[in-house]
Amino acid sequence: MQAPPALLSTEDLYLFNTGQLLRAYQTFGAHLMTFDGRHGVRFVVWAPQAREVSVVGNFNGWGHGSLGFRLDPVGSTGVWCCFVPGLDEGERYKYAIVNADGHLTLKSDPHAVYSELRPHTASIVTSLDRYEWQDRQWMEHREQAPPYDRPMLIYEVHLASWRMDAPEQFRTYEQLSFELVAYVAAMGYTHIELLPLTEHPLDRSWGYQATGYYSATSRYGPPEGLQMLVDRCHQAGIGVLLDWVPGHFCKDDHGLRLFDGTPLYEDSDSRRAEKLLWGTLAFDFGKPEVCSFLLSNALFWLDKYHIDGLRVDAVASMIDLHFDKADDSKTFNRYGGSEHIEALSFLRKLNETVFQHYPNTLMMAEDSSSYPQVTAPTYLGGLGFNYKWNMGWMNDMLRYMETDPSRRPSHHSLITFSLLYAFSENYVLPLSHDEVVHGKRSLLNKMPGSYEEKFANLRLFYGYWITHPGKKLLFMGGEFGQFDEWKDYDGLDWQVLQYPLHARMNEYVKDLNAAYSRDRSLWEQDHEQAGFEWIDVNNAEQCMLIFQRTGKRSASPTVSVCNFSRQSHDIYRIGVTVPGEYRLTFNSDDERYGGNGMFLPARSSAESIPMHGKPYSIVVPVPSLSLQMWKSDTDSLSNLSL
């Protein structure tokens, strides 16, 4: 089969070879089209060092007796192309690539948008343009609504194990578009974050070791099902984030590794290419074509699936040449340092590209490093993300909460240190899947004390988390206090909801989410110092923390009272800013949430008695291991719903 020049745009190929083809998926891969009056499929693939490239499949007996339909090289671009008439949607295919040494390998299409269900690995000719979207209102509103001064409660989900009737009996995208969306909406979350959905060969990798970067995994059905899931989320007022893994890919033979017989997508220097921690290969960000591949992939998920944001995985491993490297495997940049200059350049270009096309997209860095200005604009020298996971807060808080209350006074700084840097970046406070797997125990089982105290500690922890500056993320199962750690090969332990404390925890999280969403002071100034003020930060002996959150239009702040000790206080005086009546807006010790039900008045009158540097004070009881929120009656705006 010939590849006439009219099949491809020379401009597209130039842009691809220079790292600027931002929608390479429209050029590369398998595309249904009519050419020269005949209907068929155009195949385009990048394999610059290949001796021959053919497309094989059921339509030609997988090349038996020949190499199938031969692709032609397009000039010196490294690109191969052919048009095969008569083929239609649903055809399975691979590329038969003969390398310079004459060795033949069968490769899946790097730009395929649909793949066979594992363990099969063929690509499938598919159109993504049939689905009729019903989310216009959501998309138009998103264009006008920057995320910074909005509530953000993210429910992190692994689709395979959210609900599973039996091993490997997964819910389909379509089923989840009803069950999952209804549950998330009822719980009051604003967003769902999905663990990677790019095609991957091993279930237990959770999608973080991919082979098909453009291919939504077929484990849960065809691509239209995922489009339906996102669409129904949007119709329910829920945003959708996708875990995205541009740092590394798995080594399976049908994937990107040695794609044309040479290190193509990976670095030719094995010291840089090998990710020994995960047994994967790093992308070579110095190749313009690799940058075109990845930049296009980011826009692909936003274009074709209406994804609202990308959580970029393992940024620390991308930007540090020495990350998880033994001394004999370390390499250095051209200045003698360990910063990965090409990866940093790629990340800046990634964020510039996404925000150019979708200004209010959520671009979140999962970054455990201390690299500065991750969420600063690129024109100010930053990496250009608009959010970063606060891994420091997460580690400190889990260490503190795992400590028995009797020993917490000597660890008080763990819960106060985060406010020294809370406004240096735009942070998300993650309680993610990584913290409840591989022997780390569930959040509930991390808590010290008796069975009842574990629940009290977790309710308190969630209350502090929800009132602390930063957007929020909770992994599935945490909302009802799953006791066992996450089992990725099985479903969540929904059966524990038959036990009162778990059912009450689920109700508690639902009500806490609602209290957060309707109180502007808890999110309007998440990233500004003006939105937070300590009232009492130094009471380590009693394990007490009191602070206030302020919104842009609120007449008074929300006062958060946290008691991390087992000691209750019948009378506790708290400094407040304004006079008048204060009302109790939330109490984690309420009996309906499984608390002890210590009597707390619904209101408390501020007195002209200075306390904690404030001109007024209220007196309230404080239960052990509890969180309570108080608000002045003069506040007329903060309880307005969005």
Side-chain angles (χ1 to χ4, degrees):
M1 291 294 159
Q2 296 300 308
L7 274 176
L8 292 176
S9 161
T10 56
E11 180 182 3
D12 282 354
L13 296 179
Y14 169 79
L15 292 173
F16 176 73
N17 289 144
T18 56
Q20 302 175 80
L21 189 59
L22 301 183
R23 287 187 167 88
Y25 71 86
Q26 295 176 346
T27 299
F28 289 79
H31 290 272
L32 294 160
M33 64 183 301
T34 298
F35 180 74
D36 199 22
R38 296 179 296 175
H39 179 77
V41 178
R42 183 191 68 185
F43 295 93
V44 181
V45 65
W46 179 53
Q49 301 303 318
R51 180 189 296 178
E52 294 180 14
V53 179
S54 301
V55 60
V56 297
N58 290 332
F59 46 82
N60 61 10
W62 293 95
H64 292 307
S66 71
L67 286 179
F69 296 113
R70 186 164 298 180
L71 280 70
D72 292 322
V74 184
S76 59
T77 62
V79 174
W80 300 70
C81 174
C82 77
F83 175 75
V84 182
L87 298 189
D88 208 342
E89 192 157 5
E91 295 284 2
R92 286 159 167 76
Y93 70 98
K94 282 188 176 183
Y95 292 119
I97 296 179
V98 179
N99 68 18
D101 296 329
H103 181 69
L104 171 67
T105 57
L106 294 183
K107 292 286 188 178
S108 301
D109 187 347
H111 287 86
V113 298
Y114 191 30
S115 304
E116 285 187 302
L117 178 64
R118 54 89 181 98
H120 303 294
T121 59
S123 304
I124 303 174
V125 177
T126 305
S127 170
L128 297 181
D129 297 327
R130 287 192 309 271
Y131 184 79
E132 296 183 7
W133 290 89
Q134 305 294 320
D135 64 347
R136 179 177 177 180
Q137 184 176 359
W138 169 274
M139 299 296 283
E140 290 178 349
H141 176 73
R142 191 183 73 180
E143 290 180 9
Q144 306 300 322
Y148 308 104
D149 60 354
R150 311 283 293 178
M152 191 183 299
L153 282 167
I154 304 168
Y155 186 62
E156 188 187 30
V157 180
H158 179 242
L159 289 185
S161 58
W162 182 69
R163 285 190 186 273
M164 190 184 297
D165 296 325
E168 297 188 16
Q169 291 188 15
F170 308 134
R171 294 290 202 273
T172 65
Y173 293 121
E174 185 173 355
Q175 289 173 317
L176 291 162
S177 74
F178 293 94
E179 293 179 274
L180 176 61
V181 173
Y183 177 76
V184 171
M187 289 298 296
Y189 290 99
T190 65
H191 292 76
I192 298 174
E193 180 174 312
L194 303 173
L195 268 62
L197 294 180
T198 43
E199 193 57 84
H200 52 284
L202 180 65
D203 292 355
R204 303 298 300 276
S205 78
W206 316 331
Y208 287 97
Q209 298 184 12
T211 50
Y213 271 74
Y214 289 81
S215 183
T217 179
S218 54
R219 286 167 174 79
Y220 318 119
E224 292 89 344
L226 177 56
Q227 291 172 322
M228 177 184 290
L229 173 57
V230 176
D231 195 8
R232 289 187 60 83
C233 281
H234 288 172
Q235 293 175 54
I238 300 166
V240 182
L241 311 178
L242 180 65
D243 266 8
W244 189 59
V245 190
H248 60 114
F249 56 89
C250 65
K251 296 181 177 180
D252 291 59
D253 285 342
H254 67 281
L256 300 178
R257 174 178 175 267
L258 299 175
F259 187 78
D260 63 358
T262 66
L264 186 61
Y265 288 89
E266 67 270 36
D267 199 295
S268 58
D269 185 337
S270 63
R271 296 173 300 171
R272 288 197 178 190
E274 291 287 345
K275 291 283 189 183
L276 297 177
L277 180 64
W278 300 304
T280 55
L281 294 170
F283 280 103
D284 183 354
F285 302 106
K287 289 192 180 84
E289 295 88 350
V290 171
C291 291
S292 285
F293 175 81
L294 290 172
L295 294 173
S296 167
N297 187 243
L299 289 181
F300 168 82
W301 292 102
L302 307 181
D303 289 344
K304 294 299 184 180
Y305 290 95
H306 292 200
I307 296 296
D308 300 289
L310 301 174
R311 177 265 200 186
V312 180
D313 181 63
V315 169
S317 76
M318 295 174 65
I319 64 178
D320 182 5
L321 290 170
H322 294 174
F323 185 89
D324 190 44
K325 298 288 187 181
D327 287 343
D328 60 355
S329 296
K330 289 180 179 178
T331 60
F332 298 86
N333 62 36
R334 59 181 175 269
Y335 303 112
S338 63
E339 290 183 348
H340 195 325
I341 294 173
E342 293 80 10
L344 291 168
S345 177
F346 165 76
L347 290 173
R348 293 188 177 101
K349 180 64 175 177
L350 166 69
N351 289 314
E352 290 169 353
T353 298
V354 168
F355 292 132
Q356 176 187 352
H357 293 85
Y358 295 98
N360 290 327
T361 299
L362 295 168
M363 293 297 291
M364 297 183 174
E366 190 266 320
D367 177 25
S368 58
S369 76
S370 58
Y371 192 87
Q373 295 187 291
V374 172
T375 58
T378 57
Y379 60 81
L380 295 177
L383 288 187
F385 290 93
N386 54 8
Y387 280 99
K388 174 180 175 175
W389 277 24
N390 193 336
M391 312 294 279
W393 174 89
M394 178 269 297
N395 284 312
D396 286 349
M397 279 307 304
L398 290 179
R399 282 180 57 200
Y400 182 83
M401 293 307 302
E402 290 181 62
T403 301
D404 189 271
S406 63
R407 294 186 286 111
R408 285 175 179 169
S410 60
H411 298 276
H412 193 68
S413 63
L414 288 174
I415 51 172
T416 62
F417 179 67
S418 61
L419 270 302
L420 295 178
Y421 62 87
F423 308 106
S424 62
E425 304 274 9
N426 297 337
Y427 280 118
V428 173
L429 307 182
L431 299 173
S432 76
H433 65 281
D434 276 330
E435 310 317 314
V436 294
V437 74
H438 297 325
K440 296 179 183 177
R441 299 174 295 166
S442 69
L443 291 179
L444 178 64
N445 203 18
K446 292 178 193 286
M447 301 297 111
S450 66
Y451 181 69
E452 291 76 11
E453 284 180 335
K454 287 180 179 293
F455 282 92
N457 270 297
L458 190 57
R459 291 193 302 271
L460 165 59
F461 181 29
Y462 287 164
Y464 178 62
W465 167 71
I466 214 78
T467 55
H468 187 289
K471 307 307 182 185
K472 325 297 177 187
L473 178 143
L474 180 66
F475 184 58
M476 63 183 197
E479 77 277 11
F480 58 78
Q482 170 137 333
F483 199 85
D484 287 346
E485 70 174 19
W486 174 42
K487 303 178 287 293
D488 55 58
Y489 52 83
D490 202 354
L492 293 180
D493 294 332
W494 294 100
Q495 66 274 14
V496 301
L497 286 169
Q498 66 185 299
Y499 301 104
L501 283 180
H502 291 276
R504 290 171 181 173
M505 175 62 77
N506 195 233
E507 192 68 19
Y508 172 78
V509 171
K510 180 179 179 180
D511 287 355
L512 186 64
N513 289 351
Y516 164 83
S517 291
R518 66 174 174 258
D519 189 344
R520 295 178 181 274
S521 66
L522 297 181
W523 38 262
E524 273 194 332
Q525 298 196 99
D526 261 329
H527 315 303
E528 303 171 37
Q529 182 67 59
F532 177 90
E533 184 181 357
W534 287 117
I535 294 176
D536 187 8
V537 64
N538 296 315
N539 192 350
E541 182 178 352
Q542 292 182 310
C543 301
M544 290 285 293
L545 270 187
I546 307 172
F547 56 90
Q548 61 186 26
R549 298 293 311 281
T550 305
K552 293 178 180 178
R553 291 171 283 176
S554 299
S556 72
T558 293
V559 177
S560 179
V561 183
C562 304
N563 180 7
F564 292 93
S565 78
R566 291 191 175 100
Q567 180 64 47
S568 298
H569 306 277
D570 294 328
I571 298 175
Y572 201 94
R573 187 171 293 277
I574 297 168
V576 293
T577 305
V578 297
E581 288 285 310
Y582 280 74
R583 67 184 181 279
L584 179 67
T585 61
F586 204 83
N587 171 26
S588 73
D589 191 54
D590 195 301
E591 283 184 315
R592 70 178 185 272
Y593 302 137
N596 292 320
M598 180 179 180
F599 173 75
L600 268 68
R603 294 179 177 272
S604 181
S605 298
E607 302 174 280
S608 297
I609 300 176
M611 189 70 183
H612 299 134
K614 302 297 181 184
Y616 308 98
S617 59
I618 58 174
V619 173
V620 301
V622 179
S624 63
L625 300 175
S626 70
L627 170 283
Q628 52 187 293
M629 296 183 230
W630 291 86
K631 212 159 185 63
S632 169
D633 270 344
T634 60
D635 182 3
S636 60
L637 293 176
S638 62
N639 285 329
L640 293 178
S641 298
L642 295 179

